[in-house]
Amino acid sequence: MNDILQILIYGMVLGSVLSMGAIGVSMIFGILRFAHFAHGDFMTLGAYIGLTFIGVMGLSPWFALPAAMVGMAVVAVVIDQLLYRRIRRTQPVILLISSFGMALILRSLIQLIWGSENQTYASGIQFPWRLDVLGGLRIKPDHVWIVLISLGLVAGVHLFLTRTRMGKAMRAMSDNMDLALVSGIPAERVIIVTWIIGGALAAAAGVFLGIDTRLHPVMGWTTLLPVFAAAILGGIGRPYGAIVGGMIIGISMEMSTLFISAAYKPAVAFAIMVMMLIFRPQGIFKGTL
Amino acid sequence: MEFASLFAYLVSFLTFAGIYAVLAMGLNTQWGFTGQFNIGIAGFFAVGAYTSAILTTPESPAYLGGLGMPFLVGLVGATLASALIGLVIGRITAKLRTDYLAIATIGIAEMIRLFIKNEDWLTNGVRGIAGIERPFAGTPLDSPFGYLLVVVAFVVLVYFLLERAYASPWGRVLRAIRENEPATAAAGKSIARFRLQAFVLGAAIMGLGGGLYAHFFGFLSPEAFMPLYGTFLVWVMLIAGGSGNNRGAILGAVVVWGVWTLTELATDLLPTEYATQAAALRVLLIGVLLQVILVTRPQGILPEKPPKLIARKK
């Protein structure tokens, strides 16, 4: 029982990371109509931007988060304006190839700038809190913060999407592109805001992953498959679904270590995704297929 | 460089380019003809390579197989095994948008990599399979040059097969699906079935490419593939050469493999302590090359030329 609770906590931490990535993937898919394959490497780049910021300033790891989010939002908009905007007018699937190329460009840039070794935000061991009430359950303060901050960010995205004009415009474009365009929604501005949110949340995912484990140039790429699985599970183009999807995938992946080799964790995400594609491709929350 | 080593280098270069040409033509069937996205090329390639290796190597206690079958049986097995994987993944995604196929193929490639790495009983895990022999052992053709001829023969074979398919009514339906799906469906064609057929054919060709690689290199291990870069290079080859055009796929394979090899020669001049950076720099260059092509010349060096309409016989 204790083990299961412990693993549940790890699952929720992973789930928070995946949700942060999946919301961005889901929004980009909804508004720009393509699967953004560079999203994993956005996460990685965000994590490294945070690392440099706290390294230069000599701050605690948590300061990496805002720096990474702001930095990555800017990078995402720059990439869109320099590259994706030029090919947006052709088929969306060309953007898919381009983003796949962008994934490799970003990763090699990260290797060139920061090297290929593992890096960490803070050295030393963090002592977990022991909860004797729950039979000696151990909880790391970092893990609590990761889950709480993700919930806060999700609430922020929710308020933005439901309470602001821009948020409404984004939902409208995701629901029915043509109708949104003829009713005078400024498409270019909506797209830029999409990249700002997507980039910032990807950076948050990267920083969380870096705090929980370590920084490595392929950390984001290896997380991309579960992120896509979470987005599909929740229903693509549905940010709220992405959170549910992220949590389900994250918890399932960690729980699976009770039964099968940990090497096959990504296979669990893949299996859930394939089941979903067979039986309910529109996702739990009926996304825009 | 002396003549002999230059010749050996050229033979090895062309053999690699030929194997990549087979892969690029496989991708052309999926992407160029039908507009289906596959980012799991390395997965199909690995399945082909390992199938052929297991079928043809002498018996070994370390892993399954070692059936000692002839070269051609290995290649047929490679083609079939890869086609089977393509059938499974194609069946799941045939009715969905191609973005889902892209995500599914990246997943299947990752699963195949994990499987090869962790299932020692089948693939000997990270230690890899060694001693895969070239065909025609004991004849004058058992040389790198002889193997180049074999690869070229397969490139020509696949080329003519695909050219025939492209010009046939079947190929016409594929292009129609790519250009206008609703119209093709309205004409009474089963979109999902044609897509699946094209995907499986492409996967089979990629498996063949994997088999050819296994017998060329003689040794397989999970890390020998550079999975992602392999997939990426094939994509750049097809896009650069001209998607939809088989001659473009072959030309792209030679040109991009040439560029890739030249960047290796260039980065070899750097001091050895920069070795990892040099590898990253090469990928960066190829990545930028892809973006430049996509922005400035998306149709590639040799744009697609659909066959002329033949006048109906009176």
Side-chain angles (χ1 to χ4, degrees):
Chain A
M1 186 60 206
N2 199 356
D3 280 357
I4 293 180
L5 272 179
Q6 194 74 56
I7 291 174
L8 191 67
I9 292 170
Y10 296 147
M12 283 171 71
V13 173
L14 181 61
S16 307
V17 172
L18 298 183
S19 305
M20 291 295 101
I23 295 175
V25 161
S26 202
M27 283 172 74
I28 293 164
F29 201 109
I31 287 166
L32 291 148
R33 312 273 150 179
F34 78 107
H36 186 228
F37 269 83
H39 218 72
D41 296 274
F42 271 32
M43 289 164 58
T44 317
L45 184 57
Y48 276 95
I49 291 174
L51 179 74
T52 299
F53 181 77
I54 59 166
V56 170
M57 304 287 205
L59 296 168
S60 111
W62 288 104
F63 286 94
L65 185 64
M69 288 178 70
V70 171
M72 204 51 229
V74 172
V75 172
V77 172
V78 169
I79 289 174
D80 177 67
Q81 292 296 307
L82 276 182
L83 181 64
Y84 294 157
R85 191 169 59 96
R86 291 170 204 274
I87 26 190
R88 216 180 281 147
R89 302 206 186 287
T90 57
Q91 303 157 290
V93 70
I94 302 292
L95 279 166
L96 215 164
I97 308 177
S98 180
S99 74
F100 179 49
M102 186 44 82
L104 282 147
I105 290 179
L106 289 179
R107 185 169 340 146
S108 40
L109 274 177
I110 290 165
Q111 282 176 340
L112 283 174
I113 299 171
W114 286 282
S116 333
E117 302 83 36
N118 287 341
Q119 298 189 48
T120 50
Y121 283 120
S123 48
I125 301 165
Q126 193 185 29
F127 287 102
W129 300 327
R130 258 185 83 119
L131 297 185
D132 288 324
V133 208
L134 290 166
L137 192 68
R138 284 155 204 274
I139 301 180
K140 273 193 184 175
D142 278 356
H143 286 167
V144 177
W145 285 116
I146 288 174
V147 175
L148 286 181
I149 295 175
S150 324
L151 289 177
L153 288 173
V154 165
V157 171
H158 171 78
L159 288 177
F160 175 79
L161 286 178
T162 49
R163 302 292 159 85
T164 62
R165 276 179 72 83
M166 183 49 82
K168 250 184 222 166
M170 291 175 85
R171 283 186 295 142
M173 263 181 84
S174 175
D175 278 344
N176 190 331
M177 178 74 80
D178 297 330
L179 198 57
L181 291 180
V182 293
S183 55
I185 282 175
E188 275 302 313
R189 266 179 38 214
V190 170
I191 289 171
I192 288 177
V193 174
T194 308
W195 283 111
I196 291 175
I197 297 176
L201 292 180
V207 172
F208 291 159
L209 204 59
I211 288 177
D212 187 34
T213 55
R214 69 210 161 28
L215 285 86
H216 190 267
V218 294
M219 63 192 262
W221 178 259
T222 48
T223 324
L224 187 65
L225 182 61
V227 164
F228 275 131
I232 289 178
L233 187 62
I236 233 155
R238 294 271 175 264
Y240 315 122
I243 301 150
V244 178
M247 282 296 166
I248 293 177
I249 299 278
I251 292 170
S252 316
M253 278 170 77
E254 292 296 344
M255 285 291 176
S256 73
T257 54
L258 289 171
F259 312 105
I260 54 171
S261 153
Y264 281 116
K265 259 199 247 178
V268 176
F270 182 65
I272 297 175
M273 185 180 87
V274 165
M275 287 298 136
M276 210 60 195
L277 287 179
I278 295 172
F279 296 110
R280 198 177 159 80
Q282 69 272 44
I284 301 175
F285 291 94
K286 212 166 193 315
T288 44
L289 200 64
Chain B
M1 221 189 281
E2 300 159 50
F3 177 73
S5 63
L6 191 68
F7 179 73
Y9 188 80
L10 194 68
V11 166
S12 152
F13 171 86
L14 286 176
T15 312
F16 263 118
I19 292 169
Y20 271 110
V22 171
L23 294 175
M25 283 191 283
L27 181 64
N28 196 25
T29 319
Q30 298 174 340
W31 166 250
F33 293 4
T34 335
Q36 295 187 104
F37 220 85
N38 180 355
I39 307 192
I41 300 169
F44 296 100
F45 179 74
V47 166
Y50 269 94
T51 308
S52 193
I54 288 168
L55 285 175
T56 57
T57 44
E59 206 168 330
S60 155
Y63 54 89
L64 182 85
L67 301 170
M69 302 269 211
F71 172 69
L72 278 179
V73 177
L75 284 192
V76 170
T79 312
L80 290 179
S82 187
L84 191 69
I85 304 258
L87 183 67
V88 172
I89 203 78
R91 269 298 283 271
I92 296 169
T93 53
K95 288 195 182 113
L96 301 170
R97 271 181 54 160
T98 193
D99 299 75
Y100 289 89
L101 178 66
I103 297 169
T105 51
I106 200 179
I108 196 82
E110 187 65 12
M111 292 312 108
I112 291 168
R113 195 182 63 81
L114 282 177
F115 189 80
I116 289 174
K117 208 167 160 183
N118 291 300
E119 302 302 320
D120 290 13
W121 58 272
L122 181 64
T123 61
N124 211 15
V126 285
R127 286 182 297 281
I129 296 180
I132 309 159
E133 284 184 0
R134 277 196 293 258
F136 308 121
T139 67
L141 274 174
D142 182 14
S143 68
F145 183 69
Y147 197 68
L148 173 62
L149 294 181
V150 173
V151 170
V152 168
F154 274 103
V155 170
V156 171
L157 177 75
V158 172
Y159 172 77
F160 277 108
L161 201 89
L162 288 184
E163 279 295 295
R164 183 71 193 81
Y166 183 80
S168 71
W170 182 77
R172 203 157 57 220
V173 176
L174 295 186
R175 291 198 299 284
I177 292 174
R178 184 189 66 194
E179 299 299 333
N180 193 336
E181 208 181 299
T184 319
K189 306 291 179 196
S190 163
I191 307 270
R193 222 169 79 208
F194 278 97
R195 265 200 189 141
L196 183 62
Q197 288 164 355
F199 191 75
V200 170
L201 178 62
I205 295 170
M206 287 171 190
L208 174 72
L212 287 171
Y213 172 85
H215 293 275
F216 170 56
F217 218 63
F219 173 73
L220 289 179
S221 78
E223 305 311 319
F225 292 114
M226 295 212 302
L228 198 62
Y229 302 144
T231 299
F232 184 56
L233 273 182
V234 176
W235 266 101
V236 180
M237 285 164 180
L238 182 61
I239 303 277
S243 31
N245 188 331
N246 286 316
R247 249 169 295 175
I250 298 173
L251 179 69
V254 177
V255 169
V256 173
W257 186 245
V259 172
W260 182 251
T261 317
L262 281 179
T263 58
E264 187 176 23
L265 292 180
T267 51
D268 278 353
L269 299 175
L270 290 169
T272 42
E273 62 258 38
Y274 295 114
T276 47
Q277 275 97 328
L281 193 64
R282 293 171 66 199
V283 178
L284 181 69
L285 287 175
I286 294 286
V288 171
L289 176 70
L290 173 71
Q291 307 291 6
V292 169
I293 296 168
L294 283 178
V295 171
T296 58
R297 197 178 163 83
Q299 71 274 39
I301 309 171
L302 294 177
E304 186 183 7
K305 273 198 207 114
K308 282 188 204 110
L309 292 175
I310 308 160
R312 220 175 263 274
K313 276 179 196 146
K314 296 250 166 78

